[in-house]
Each structure stands twice: as C-alpha cells, then as structure tokens.
Amino acid sequence: MYLNCRLRIPDTGGKITIKPVSGISYVYLEQGRTYNKEKKYNVPKRTCIGKQDPEQKAYMFPNEKFLKFFPRELLPFELDTRMRSGCIHIGSFIVIRKIISDYRLDEMIGRIIGRDAGLFLDLAAYSIITEDNAGQYYPDYAYNHALFTDDMRIYSDSKVSDFLQAVTIDQRIKFLNEWNAKRDHREKIYISYDATNKKSQAGDIDMIEMGHSKNGVEEEIFNYSIAYDRTNREPLFYEDYPGSIPDISQLRHTLAKAKGYGYEHLGFILDRGYFGKENIEFMDEHGFDFVIMVKGMKAFVSEIILEVKGSFEDDRRNSIRSFKVSGTTVKRKLYATDKKDRYFHIYYDDGRKARERDEFEGKIDRMHRKLKECIGEPIRPGGDYKKYFDLIFWHEGQADEKFMSCVERIDIINRDISLCGYFAIVTSEKMTAEEALLLYKSRDDSEKTFRGDKSYLGARAERVHSNESVDTKIFIGFVATIIRSRIYVLLREEMSRMEKKQNYMTVPAALKELDKIEMLKGADGEYILDYAVTATQKAILKAFGMTADNIHKQAREISSDLMRVEKEAIEAAAKMSETEGDKQ
C-alpha cells in the first residue's frame, strides 16, 4: 500500500534503481548481493520502496516497505480527500474567491506562477482568514477549508516550504508590472505611502540588518513599504529593503519607482515622518504633488495657526460637516529658501481640543511631579522640561550644582493649550481645506489595511530562513493585502448605508462570521450546508453583492467537486493496490 505523501528519492550511493513496469516507474532499493553459483556472479537483492513521480522525476511516492529501510525519514504527508474533515468551512472562501475573480487575480497568478497557482492563492486566503502566515500550520487550515488547489489537494508544510523557495524575482516583478498596468495612468492619482519594519527569524537573509524598529529599539529587522491608490484604495506596489535604510531615504527611490510603473501625474499622501526639506525638494524636482499632515504645535505651523485663530472657527462657511471640523486655507512658504508657495490648510475640532488639552495638561502634571522627585539631585533637565518650566539650581554652573526647584512657564503652557484642537495639512497643489482633508482622510483606509498586513495577516515577523522564502512570503502577503483591502472597502461602504453601525462589519468580525458557514459530510459522502444562512451573514454577503442563493449554489458545486475527487482517489488507490499485488 502506498503512503499518502511525496518525497525526494533518497541518495544512497548508487543503491537506488528505477524500473518501468506497464508505464509506471518503480523505485527499488538494493539491500545486498548473493552469489549465483550457476551464473557465477553476484545478483543484487532489491525491494520496491515506492514509485517515481511522473511529473518530478526526483520525487517518489513511498510504500510501507520504505519505512522499514528508512525509519528515521520524516514523511511530508499530502492528505487525500479521505483524510479531509467532515466539516468544511466555505463562507470566507467564497467571498475571497469572488474578489479574486473580480480582480482576475486567479488568471494573473495562473499565468505567472503556473501549476502551483492554487497553492499561492490558498496561502493568501489562509493568512487573511486565520490572521497567521506560519507555513507549518497551513495543513491544519487546509484540512477543514475549501481550497483553490487543483482537486482541493491538501499540501504538507514541506511542500509549502519548497514552494516558497521556488518563486523567482522575475515572477514577482511580472505580477507588479501587470497589476500596475491595469491602472488608468492618464488621470492624476494620489498615492498614499507608508512604511514599517518587520522582524525575521534567524537565517541567511541578506536584507536583515540592524536598524531602529518602530518602538525605537535597535534590532535585526528589514523594512517594508506599500503604496496605495487613494482613489480605489488598492495597494499598487510594495518594496522591501535593508533594515539600516531609513524610511525617508527610501521614499526618494519609491517616488522614482512609481514613475517607472507609468504614473505620470502623481501626488503623494505622506505621514508627517516624511516631512523633510530634501524630500520636498526631490518631489518638486520631479513634479510630484504632496499632501502632508502636520501637528498644530509644530513650531513652523503654530505661528500660522495663531495668525488665523478666531477668524474661521465659528463661521458656517468654513464648516466641513462630513468631518465635523472647521477649516481655512492660507499660502505660505515651508522654509526660508523655499521657491514655491504652499497651501496650509488649518483645521479646528472641538472634540479634539478637549482630548488634546486633557492629554497635554496631564503631561505637564507628570513632568512637575517628576521634577519634585529630583530636588537635590545633581541633574540638569532638558527638552520639554526646559521648555515648560523655569528651572532653579543651587550653585548653578559649579561642580556641586544641584537641581533645587521649578516654576511653570504659564505663558508658554497657555500658548500650547490655545493650540489644542488645531491641526494642519500642507499641500503643494492649490485646493480647498475640504478637498485637502478628504484626500488625507482617505489615508485612513490605507493605514488600516497596512496595519492589517502586520496585525491581521500574521506578518509581524517572517518565519523563514532564506532570501527566496522571505521574498515569496512578502509577495503572497501583498496579494493578500490587495484582497483584504477590497474586503475592507466593501464592508465600509455597506456599513455607511446602514442606519446603525454594526460591530460585525469589520474585516476580522465579518470573516469569523462567514467562516461559520459550514458543510457537513453525510453518510453517502455528500457535503451539505449545516444550517441556513443567518441574517447577520446575509448582511455581510450583501456588501459583496452576494445572497444566500449564491452560497447554496456554490456549496453544491464544492460538494460535487469533493465527491468527484474522493471517488477518483479511491479508484486510484484500488488500481495501485492491484498493480502492487500483480507485481509481487
């Protein structure tokens, strides 16, 4: 009887022989030789240990005798349908399959990846549904979920490992080129760009270097960035680069890369961390517009806020009702040598003022308490301590100098309190305060899905040990982000049409609810829905243009496929057993 697995033919120093019998190539192991007196030469004693994989000649399907001669061999099982769960989850799979079909990702991945395209899509779906990306747990997921692989074949973690190392850089580049070729390059678009860093397990990965992570700790990381199309809220392209390269330096390469994809009329929506003179000059030089958020207490923008403060907040004409803020716009230069006027959009939010004031005054209180604890110590506080307090020292400037007391600088503190509730957006292109805010707020979509790559796709760390594997996992994660971004957008749009906000319309909650749509295997081998689609599930499906009828129809198709595959597997096993018996 043959085992339900496939593995590489052992290298035993010439003791393996492959012989074809009736169109099937069997693998034999030589155990020794016996002397034939009549023929007067040694005759090898061989035992069949399996049959060769007709598609990949270096692999074989072992039989039970293989275990006798190779007891320590770890068998990478590929489970057949008879070892599949009697309860199959299909709800999330059906929704993900629809999005993949709408984007024609199945066609693109099929052309680019080839015969393992189904496994690629399954790994993407696995990371979305389970919020994990560890390859060793994929077989557990595949055991009780509908799959994209041919005949819904369940692959082992060793197969996943081999696949991760097999995808090439040319395939990744081809996908990004084809994906970006689908965009309309004639119209101007704003790309929301952000970057983060990830850890990786120890291994031979070239881009893992010492760098500063987002929590400020220096550790072995690599950086990862995604550019989003603001209009469609779709990921456009991604980059990974060594951990020692700061985000600001890499942005300049990303800007050039965007143009390489054919985006001629570009604008970038950037986080405040990219607000640097060099970056601004680079974008000006290449004709890229930008939208950047700035905190109200930043020195160069606070003066502008104080200039316009009181002139627009209570004017109905400046009310931006969709965000419940007031806004106005003024022209200024960013820095002394700036050659262009920029548009500073100043906003005021009553709710934000209350929150920021509470946080700010809490910060001053904590600083004051800390200073009192340090009285008599030989210290000289700096930074915000020096900004918000007049510091008094004993024997100031001498060797025995000690901190003695402090007095709050009320004028400075009151000034910053007056800035609470204000924020600014700087744009290079002329637009209204409302247009600028709409552009920047669209960044919320990209930030949520970008955080999703780490929080929801299990990608805070790449659990691999080679350059090829980490590159492929990032590639799969990017495709998963495309799918998840679409799920997020459709759910949010549907929720905006609802009279009441529903907690189940978030991506994690919706996928968990859809995953409850299950099929149970009956005594006749047919899978049927366990129960009717619930009202909550119907509401979620509506976001994707689907109904309960779609679920019932596709459930029947999945059941039919599973029954067909199981029947074929049983017939193949019976034929294999007959062939083995005839051979013996």
Side-chain angles (χ1 to χ4, degrees):
M1 180 179 176
Y2 285 86
L3 305 176
N4 297 312
C5 67
R6 184 180 72 98
L7 54 101
R8 187 176 290 277
I9 297 175
D11 182 5
T12 57
K15 293 185 178 181
I16 293 292
T17 303
I18 298 175
K19 291 185 176 181
V21 178
S22 301
I24 300 176
S25 297
Y26 292 94
V27 181
Y28 292 86
L29 173 67
E30 182 181 323
Q31 302 147 256
R33 293 175 178 263
T34 57
Y35 184 73
N36 190 314
K37 293 182 180 180
E38 295 181 0
K39 297 182 179 181
K40 296 182 180 181
Y41 60 79
N42 290 323
V43 178
K45 182 180 179 182
R46 297 189 177 100
T47 300
C48 178
I49 59 172
K51 67 175 184 175
Q52 187 181 46
D53 185 343
E55 296 183 359
Q56 296 188 6
K57 304 296 184 181
Y59 289 82
M60 63 177 286
F61 298 98
N63 57 22
E64 291 179 337
K65 292 181 181 178
F66 177 88
L67 296 176
K68 176 181 177 181
F69 298 105
F70 300 93
R72 296 184 179 180
E73 185 75 22
L74 296 177
L75 299 181
F77 284 96
E78 293 182 359
L79 307 177
D80 63 23
T81 54
R82 290 169 294 170
M83 300 180 70
R84 189 181 298 277
S85 172
C87 175
I88 304 294
H89 303 273
I90 64 169
S92 296
F93 168 81
I94 289 174
V95 165
I96 290 173
R97 183 167 66 177
K98 183 179 187 301
I99 292 172
I100 287 174
S101 177
D102 290 345
Y103 277 143
R104 297 189 175 179
L105 287 171
D106 48 348
E107 298 177 13
M108 291 175 61
I109 297 298
R111 287 193 302 270
I112 295 168
I113 301 299
R115 65 193 299 268
D116 285 326
L119 178 57
F120 183 103
L121 295 174
D122 276 330
L123 291 173
Y126 160 61
S127 67
I128 296 170
I129 294 172
T130 66
E131 302 176 4
D132 200 352
N133 70 348
Q136 64 265 37
Y137 302 130
Y138 166 75
D140 295 334
Y141 161 84
Y143 177 68
N144 58 13
H145 281 82
L147 302 173
F148 290 99
T149 52
D150 293 338
D151 295 335
M152 293 197 186
R153 175 178 291 184
I154 303 176
Y155 284 110
S156 67
D157 56 351
S158 63
K159 166 64 177 179
V160 172
S161 179
D162 290 342
F163 170 69
L164 292 177
Q165 297 185 62
V167 177
T168 67
I169 187 171
D170 289 338
Q171 289 172 312
R172 297 192 296 273
I173 292 173
K174 187 175 181 180
F175 175 83
L176 288 175
N177 287 338
E178 189 170 336
W179 174 249
N180 283 277
K182 294 177 178 294
R183 310 278 81 77
D184 185 355
H185 299 116
R186 295 171 299 177
E187 295 184 2
K188 182 172 182 177
I189 64 170
Y190 272 87
I191 296 178
S192 180
Y193 175 88
D194 203 349
T196 190
N197 44 53
K198 296 185 182 184
K199 301 178 185 178
S200 180
Q201 289 187 347
D204 186 20
I205 301 176
D206 293 338
M207 65 178 171
I208 300 299
E209 295 181 356
M210 294 301 294
H212 289 282
S213 63
K214 292 297 182 182
N215 57 18
V217 179
E218 188 169 340
E219 53 191 340
E220 288 191 341
I221 60 172
F222 66 94
N223 290 316
Y224 173 61
S225 61
I226 299 182
Y228 289 86
D229 179 345
R230 191 277 308 177
T231 304
N232 297 316
R233 289 156 292 184
E234 297 169 348
L236 296 177
F237 57 87
Y238 71 93
E239 293 182 295
D240 49 59
Y241 47 97
S244 61
I245 299 178
D247 297 340
I248 293 176
S249 299
Q250 184 61 23
L251 172 61
R252 291 159 61 178
H253 298 283
T254 303
L255 294 170
K257 190 171 186 178
K259 206 157 189 175
Y261 284 120
Y263 298 111
E264 294 294 335
H265 306 290
L266 280 177
F268 281 84
I269 306 174
L270 302 172
D271 185 43
R272 60 183 65 91
Y274 297 96
F275 206 119
K277 183 178 177 181
E278 290 184 3
N279 282 341
I280 299 299
E281 290 177 342
F282 181 85
M283 286 187 280
D284 283 342
E285 180 184 347
H286 290 80
F288 298 138
D289 286 312
F290 60 81
V291 177
I292 304 179
M293 169 76 79
V294 187
K295 284 186 176 180
M297 292 184 184
K298 286 291 184 180
F300 82 98
V301 77
S302 62
E303 296 300 328
I304 301 175
I305 292 175
L306 291 174
E307 283 181 28
V308 300
K309 187 174 184 293
S311 66
F312 72 96
E313 297 91 329
D314 298 323
D315 190 332
R316 173 72 177 177
R317 292 170 297 180
N318 295 316
S319 179
I320 305 174
R321 295 302 303 155
S322 55
F323 297 106
K324 297 181 179 179
V325 301
S326 297
T328 189
T329 302
V330 296
K331 286 200 300 184
R332 293 288 190 280
K333 294 188 184 301
L334 276 172
Y335 41 87
T337 59
D338 196 356
K339 298 178 182 179
K340 297 182 178 181
D341 283 329
R342 314 296 179 172
Y343 297 88
F344 286 73
H345 309 279
I346 311 301
Y347 304 91
Y348 174 74
D349 180 347
D350 277 321
R352 184 181 184 128
K353 178 180 178 65
R355 294 192 303 271
E356 289 186 350
R357 176 167 182 168
D358 183 59
E359 292 172 3
F360 177 69
E361 294 203 74
K363 173 185 173 181
I364 298 298
D365 291 340
R366 290 191 297 272
M367 293 172 68
H368 204 162
R369 287 195 297 270
K370 187 65 177 178
L371 287 173
K372 285 186 176 181
E373 292 173 3
C374 295
I375 291 176
E377 298 293 332
I379 63 169
R380 178 168 280 274
D384 282 348
Y385 288 100
K386 188 175 180 179
K387 176 181 178 182
Y388 294 117
F389 296 88
D390 284 321
L391 307 175
I392 302 170
F393 299 89
W394 183 72
H395 288 180
E396 185 172 5
Q398 300 180 26
D400 58 346
E401 175 185 288
K402 293 181 181 179
F403 171 68
M404 293 301 296
S405 182
C406 65
V407 178
E408 290 184 1
R409 302 181 67 180
I410 299 299
D411 55 338
I412 302 298
I413 293 174
N414 284 345
R415 177 183 180 277
D416 283 1
I417 287 176
S418 72
L419 293 172
C420 291
Y422 291 88
F423 61 97
I425 294 175
V426 183
T427 65
S428 58
E429 184 183 15
K430 183 179 180 180
M431 62 182 72
T432 66
E434 183 172 9
E435 289 170 339
L437 188 57
L438 283 170
L439 272 175
Y440 192 84
K441 283 295 185 180
S442 69
R443 179 183 175 80
D444 291 347
D445 296 340
S446 66
E447 283 187 333
K448 286 182 172 66
T449 52
F450 189 74
R451 288 196 301 268
D453 176 58
K454 295 177 72 175
S455 303
Y456 305 130
L457 304 185
R460 293 186 182 276
E462 303 296 347
R463 305 171 179 87
V464 289
H465 300 267
S466 70
N467 291 316
E468 295 80 9
S469 295
V470 75
D471 286 339
T472 304
K473 284 195 104 174
I474 293 172
F475 180 20
I476 293 171
F478 177 72
V479 174
T481 304
I482 291 173
I483 299 167
R484 193 183 187 281
S485 296
R486 187 60 179 163
I487 295 174
Y488 169 79
V489 169
L490 292 175
L491 286 173
R492 200 191 71 165
E493 289 176 351
E494 179 62 25
M495 187 163 58
S496 69
R497 292 188 286 266
M498 292 180 168
E499 294 182 0
K500 182 180 178 182
K501 183 178 179 180
Q502 301 293 345
N503 293 332
Y504 56 76
M505 293 300 283
T506 65
V507 178
L511 291 176
K512 284 182 173 62
E513 186 63 34
L514 290 175
D515 226 31
K516 295 176 184 177
I517 300 178
E518 304 168 338
M519 296 196 307
L520 299 183
K521 187 177 183 180
D524 58 355
E526 181 179 2
Y527 284 88
I528 59 173
L529 284 175
D530 185 23
Y531 52 81
V533 179
T534 66
T536 298
Q537 290 163 351
K538 289 178 181 177
I540 296 171
L541 290 169
K542 186 179 178 182
F544 306 98
M546 303 178 71
T547 65
D549 289 340
N550 296 123
I551 296 296
H552 286 284
K553 179 181 178 181
Q554 295 189 52
R556 290 192 295 270
E557 293 173 354
I558 292 172
S559 176
S560 177
D561 288 341
L562 290 174
M563 290 180 67
R564 173 186 58 79
V565 172
E566 180 170 357
K567 180 180 178 182
E568 291 174 355
I570 293 173
E571 291 174 351
K575 184 177 180 180
M576 192 180 297
S577 297
E578 291 175 4
T579 305
E580 176 74 3
D582 294 340
K583 180 177 64 62
Q584 292 177 343

